[in-house]
Amino acid sequence: MLDMLLSRGSNGFWENPMLDNVKVVLVGTSHSGNIGSAARAMKVMGLSRLVLVDPQCEIDQQAIAMSSGATDILENVSIVGCLAEAISECSLVVGSSARSRTLEWPMLEPRECGKKFIEHASVSSTALVFGRERTGLTNDELQTCHYHVCIPANPEYSSLNLAMAVQTLSYEIRMAYLEHEKGLYRVSDEMIEFPRHKELELFFSHLEKVAKDIDFIDEQQPGKVMNKLRRLFTRSRPETQELNILRGILTAVEKKIR
């Protein structure tokens, strides 16, 4: 069965359509060795798509050495300027984060996270996002994610480096993939179509514009209300058709107030 699912691609990878739809996105990485170590962690678990967002270092000899043979991933890495560009085509985006009291957001446990990725990666592109070594992801970056995932490490010593975090969550994705292949749980044949990140961002921009037009929010300080609305719709995960209905309602409101 696996022979039918796997094939050698032109870039040398053993291609698997499901795992190939999983991107590992590193934001603002400052140490090249961490990029190499992350590539090694990915390859061990069968992931191959690495995206660097505004890296603060180059892929140098240290990165190659730390990759321990995963140079094919480094050679095929994508480098982009911002997170929005990295995830624009993704229907599922999960950000690795410590639990926060200041930014409440839908949370996943690592095992649940792995299963979410296999469910979505069967039909569309997905992204697992990791932040900077010292400061992680900003609140704005975290709010672009559908879910956050927190690794439940020892609270008395919860120091995980970047490669460890990539390894842990990549392992959960692989375990979910293997369970799926064994038939222990099934991905629905009628997978719900969810909007891509760029389509959600267009909706949020449209919603903010209409909310300002009808004086629902203060044009000078829209952030607080919009953050809550963003959290509301992110938590509810509207399907593509539902999002189109919401956009239609906003358009109808605009016509009425002209």
Side-chain angles (χ1 to χ4, degrees), residues 26 29-41 50 52 55 57-75 77:
L26 308 183
T29 312
S30 57
H31 299 291
S32 63
N34 287 335
I35 296 175
S37 295
R40 177 183 182 180
L50 177 61
L52 305 180
C57 59
E58 296 182 353
I59 297 176
D60 55 16
Q61 287 303 313
Q62 184 180 15
I64 293 171
M66 295 300 289
S67 74
S68 296
T71 51
D72 47 358
I73 292 180
L74 298 180
E75 289 168 358
V77 70

Side-chain angles (χ1 to χ4, degrees), residues 204-246:
F204 288 129
S205 296
H206 196 178
L207 178 60
E208 181 175 350
K209 177 182 179 300
V210 173
K212 288 177 180 177
D213 289 345
I214 62 175
D215 297 324
F216 181 75
I217 59 176
D218 185 349
E219 189 166 353
Q220 302 304 315
Q221 296 180 317
K224 188 172 183 180
V225 172
M226 283 306 303
N227 286 345
K228 289 184 178 295
L229 288 172
R230 181 183 283 269
R231 185 174 64 190
L232 167 66
F233 285 107
T234 300
R235 185 173 62 242
S236 63
R237 299 275 348 248
E239 301 167 14
T240 299
Q241 288 185 343
E242 293 169 338
L243 195 73
N244 290 339
I245 291 171
L246 292 170

